Amino acid sequence: MKIKNLSFSSRTIADDPYKWAYELENIGYSGWEIVQDGPHSLNNKNLKILEEICDTTNLELTIHLPFSDMNLACLNDGIHREIIRQLIQDLEIASEYIEMAVIHPGHYSPYGAQVPSVAWKRNIESLQIISDAGEEMGIRIAVENMPDVMQIMGRSPREMIEILDSVNRDNIYMTFDVGHANTNGNIDEFISMCFKRIKHVHIHDNMGKWDEHLPIGKGNIDWKNIIKKLPDNCMLVTEMGDLEDGIESVSYLKDL
């Protein structure tokens, strides 16, 4: 099967994330999703390296906004203000290089679980603020569906639709994470109900019990069937543990 618009995510690579970026096109990737978490995050000091990559490759860049220690439904006002500040700062840093940013929805903290409607409202308000900031920079915001983890928002297609409708911004879309949906047993339901909302796709495998991020073909997802059902022209982003898993996934996809 010929796979186009294939991107590699740097989600778990902890060493220098930029040396191997030059290898991506030779492997079969046409994009790179830069994850703003950990030592490989973009900052004002390493932007020069990113500029060099952009000048010497044809990679299409997207950014995954940070998710560690970030909760859009945070009800501590001071911490929430800092979360929003950092997320907008990350958009600003990458704004010259990207047109889309992926973001996780919020989750219910111990306090938030006691007042779920308040936490839900804070999640929506946070996404509205981020979307408005993105709009000013020409960036689309794509909210990602989540795995089967208690207290986290966005695990079902109905809840994702409610989030997007409640945010109600022209630049708000959905990142469909196939592996996450598999842990909830609702891949087909997501595709049928959210098809028009999906602008970005994360692909990785698992056995349906937890979010393992295995190479494509190492779990129980029917990729040949799923790939055909996904919207055309979406960037497919492999979220692997390392570049070797990414190479293995490209090989598997080509053989479908």
Side-chain angles (χ1 to χ4, degrees), residues 31-88:
W32 173 22
E33 184 152 295
I34 305 168
V35 182
Q36 285 295 98
D37 245 338
H40 54 274
S41 300
L42 286 180
N43 55 56
N44 290 324
K45 294 181 179 179
N46 59 24
L47 278 179
K48 181 65 176 178
I49 302 174
L50 182 65
E51 290 176 6
E52 293 174 358
I53 294 172
C54 290
D55 289 342
T56 56
T57 73
N58 293 310
L59 293 172
E60 180 179 342
L61 303 183
T62 58
I63 191 171
H64 194 311
L65 290 170
F67 45 89
S68 297
D69 306 314
M70 299 285 185
N71 180 14
L72 296 186
C74 175
L75 296 180
N76 180 304
D77 290 340
I79 294 175
H80 179 259
R81 284 193 295 271
E82 178 60 19
I83 289 171
I84 295 299
R85 186 196 69 79
Q86 290 193 28
L87 291 173
I88 292 176

Side-chain angles (χ1 to χ4, degrees), residues 11-157:
R11 64 179 294 274
T12 57
I13 295 178
D15 59 358
D16 183 351
Y18 304 116
K19 292 179 181 178
W20 49 260
Y22 293 99
E23 303 176 38
L24 292 177
E25 287 179 298
N26 290 334
I27 293 170
Y29 287 102
S30 58
W32 173 22
E33 184 152 295
I34 305 168
V35 182
Q36 285 295 98
D37 245 338
H40 54 274
S41 300
L42 286 180
N43 55 56
N44 290 324
K45 294 181 179 179
N46 59 24
L47 278 179
K48 181 65 176 178
I49 302 174
L50 182 65
E51 290 176 6
E52 293 174 358
I53 294 172
C54 290
D55 289 342
T56 56
T57 73
N58 293 310
L59 293 172
E60 180 179 342
L61 303 183
T62 58
I63 191 171
H64 194 311
L65 290 170
F67 45 89
S68 297
D69 306 314
M70 299 285 185
N71 180 14
L72 296 186
C74 175
L75 296 180
N76 180 304
D77 290 340
I79 294 175
H80 179 259
R81 284 193 295 271
E82 178 60 19
I83 289 171
I84 295 299
R85 186 196 69 79
Q86 290 193 28
L87 291 173
I88 292 176
Q89 176 180 273
D90 286 329
L91 289 177
E92 291 171 343
I93 289 173
S95 60
E96 292 186 24
Y97 308 96
I98 66 163
E99 295 181 355
M100 178 171 288
V102 179
I103 191 168
H104 284 190
H107 58 269
Y108 297 102
S109 65
Y111 172 48
Q114 299 178 55
V115 286
S117 63
V118 180
W120 177 267
K121 182 180 179 183
R122 175 59 62 89
N123 175 61
I124 300 303
E125 291 172 345
S126 299
L127 286 169
Q128 288 173 332
I129 294 170
I130 298 301
S131 296
D132 290 343
E135 180 69 27
E136 292 182 3
M137 303 176 207
I139 299 172
R140 295 173 292 172
I141 305 298
V143 186
E144 183 176 351
N145 62 296
M146 292 289 98
D148 184 21
V149 176
M150 287 185 63
Q151 310 294 7
I152 201 164
M153 302 173 186
R155 290 180 286 169
S156 74

